[in-house]
Every structure is written in structure tokens, then in C-alpha cells.
Amino acid sequence: MIPPTVRCIQLSTANLTALLAAGWTLEGGPYADETTCNTECGDVTYIYDVTGTFTPDFTGNVMVECWGAGGSGEAGTGTNLAGSGGAYSRKNTYAVTSGTPYTVHVAAVNTDKTWFVSTITVLASSGEDGGHVTPMVGGLGGLASTGVGDVKYNGGDGADFQVIEGGGGGGSATSTSDGFPGSGFNGGVGEGNGAKGGASGQNASYEGFPPGGGGGGGGDGTTTGSAGAAGR
């Protein structure tokens, strides 16, 4: 998930001293008011690729973005189906309080979902494994309709039945659009691209790209497809 994006940080003397001592470089500020800080500093982004806790040292509003995990491709057992990309959800404004810990839950696999604070605050769904639900059909992309947030997009579907090569994984949704589906053995484009499928007799050699790219299917006669990427 992209965890909270902080519009403005007005550093206290103690916090500024600690950051400089830790090797940070000060590029302007601290500023006396939020308008000046927004203009001069821009956004600050905190990224969580695994589950953790966000504890702000400020009180204010943040924007939260979540990506679900990608589904995995199947082995080359005759259908070679690909996994799909994770969905995207965003909460435009969430109020946080300095010193308060907030849970950031990141889907490591597609049987889980990514959420912030709780599953009813903001949540993004993960993509399906290839052929897991419907035989001969690539995984269905993570659904915006099952997510929670102000803005939501679907993950791209995994490629359907391939004769020789493994199918390409679906791309995860972006912050502005649905992810693209896999096409043939090529992975779909997204915030995290889908993996390319394996050639005949070759296991899919690439996993889905983070966040949430779908795994490719294995080529004919292979034992494994590739894994989908974790969410963010």
C-alpha cells in the first residue's frame, strides 16, 4: 500500500535536530504555516511493502493509497493460465494524531487484502490465480467494487488459455485507471506490471512486478507458473 502521503510537515526543533543527526539533508523550512510548507516542500510519501505501523509525529490530514496483491499463474498443464493484477483504492483525506499508531496491513499473497486502520476505512482487493475460479480463464483482476475508498480501480485480468506459451499476468491498477490485462504471453501494464508467461517447456521465469502485478503461466509441460507480487 502506499501509505499516508503527508501534505505538510512543520518540524519542531527537537525533530529537526534528530533528523539532521541521522544524516537527513534540510531543503528549506521549517515553515511557520501550512500554505508555505505545501508550496515549498511538496508531498512527503511513506511506502509500506510489508505490514507495519505508521506513527506520525504531526497532527493533520493524510491521503492513503492501497494496492492488493497479484494472483499467481498456473503450471503448464495444457491451459497455462495467468494470474491477475491487484486493485487500487484511495482515501483522499484521513485525520491522524501525532504519536498515535495506525495499522498498515499489506497483502503478501492474493488470499489477503491491503487495508489501512481497518477493513472499513480503506481497502484494496487482490487478484485471482489463473484458473482458480473458472477453468480455461485467466484470473479475474482485483475488483474495485469489493474495495473501500473514495477512488477505486480494477486490476487487469490474467491472459486466458494459451496453446503453447504461458499466459501473461495482469497489471495492477494505477491511481488513475484500471490495470491492463495480459495478452498472449505478454504481461499487462499497470502500477505493477504483469509477468511474462513461460515459453514451451519453460516455467514462467518472472514474478509479477510490485505492487500487485499478476504472475505468468508456465509453458506447456512445466510444473510451475510464477507468483503474483505483494500489494502495497
Side-chain angles (χ1 to χ4, degrees):
M1 157 166 100
I2 276 191
T5 296
V6 182
R7 284 296 304 167
C8 178
I9 299 179
Q10 297 171 27
L11 295 173
S12 66
T13 300
N15 286 338
L16 176 58
T17 300
L19 289 176
L20 292 176
W24 288 54
T25 301
L26 181 64
E27 297 182 350
Y31 297 98
D33 62 89
E34 183 173 345
T35 300
T36 303
C37 184
N38 286 340
T39 300
E40 299 295 332
C41 300
D43 294 342
V44 177
T45 301
Y46 299 84
I47 297 177
Y48 291 79
D49 288 323
V50 295
T51 294
T53 301
F54 172 64
T55 305
D57 62 355
F58 63 94
T59 295
N61 292 323
V62 298
M63 182 179 73
V64 184
E65 297 178 287
C66 297
W67 280 270
S72 296
E74 69 169 6
T77 55
T79 53
N80 318 341
L81 303 171
S84 61
Y88 169 87
S89 295
R90 180 173 77 236
K91 190 169 185 64
N92 291 328
T93 302
Y94 185 84
V96 297
T97 302
S98 180
T100 300
Y102 298 91
T103 299
V104 180
H105 183 88
V106 179
V109 294
N110 70 321
T111 53
D112 200 358
K113 298 179 180 181
T114 297
W115 47 268
F116 177 69
V117 178
S118 75
T119 57
I120 61 173
T121 304
V122 56
L123 176 146
S125 296
S126 298
E128 293 176 353
D129 293 339
H132 176 69
V133 176
T134 306
M136 307 295 286
V137 176
L140 179 66
L143 295 175
S145 61
T146 59
V148 177
D150 300 315
V151 177
K152 300 178 292 182
Y153 292 104
N154 299 304
D157 296 341
D160 293 336
F161 168 68
Q162 303 295 306
V163 177
I164 299 176
E165 296 94 351
S172 63
T174 74
S175 61
T176 58
S177 69
D178 294 340
F180 282 86
S183 177
F185 64 87
N186 291 312
V189 176
E191 186 72 22
N193 292 339
K196 183 177 180 179
S200 178
Q202 293 181 343
N203 294 321
S205 55
Y206 299 102
E207 295 183 352
F209 293 86
D220 271 357
T222 60
T223 57
T224 60
S226 65
R232 176 175 291 165

